[in-house]
Amino acid sequence: QLQLVESGGDLVQPGGSLRLSCAASGFSLEDYTIGWFRQAPGKEREGVACIALHGISTDYKESVKGRFTISQDARENIVYLQLSRLGPEDAAVYYCAAKGDSVPEICSTEVGVGPYAYWGQGTQVTVSS
């Protein structure tokens, strides 16, 4: 059974940092495109980062470039999302998701939620002083 579990969400002050984790069981994260998404109250779920091709391909939403970093630990089967210089606009529930690709391809945060078949339960990030 394929399962994704996020962790690491917390309350953080503006300007602070967090590291989110996405742990997989039942499959190897390296063989899938992994996306991090977020959803704030009243807003649509949006892609913020993705990683594919055994870590060679990464992509970020424009507003998080230079502040968020996605990485993977193949041995531990975990994908991380390092968040830094957080602002109130970053507060949301963060989800990781997995997408199987019929052929290897680079990832893009613009593909939306549709292609992703497997989802975690989410982890809450709150930014407040």
Side-chain angles (χ1 to χ4, degrees), residues 9-24:
D10 205 346
L11 168 64
V12 62
Q13 292 186 344
S17 300
L18 282 175
R19 188 177 76 165
L20 307 182
S21 299
C22 172

Side-chain angles (χ1 to χ4, degrees), residues 27-41:
F27 69 106
S28 174
L29 284 170
E30 252 195 329
D31 297 330
Y32 286 70
T33 292
I34 305 301
W36 277 100
F37 294 78
R38 67 186 181 188
Q39 189 167 20

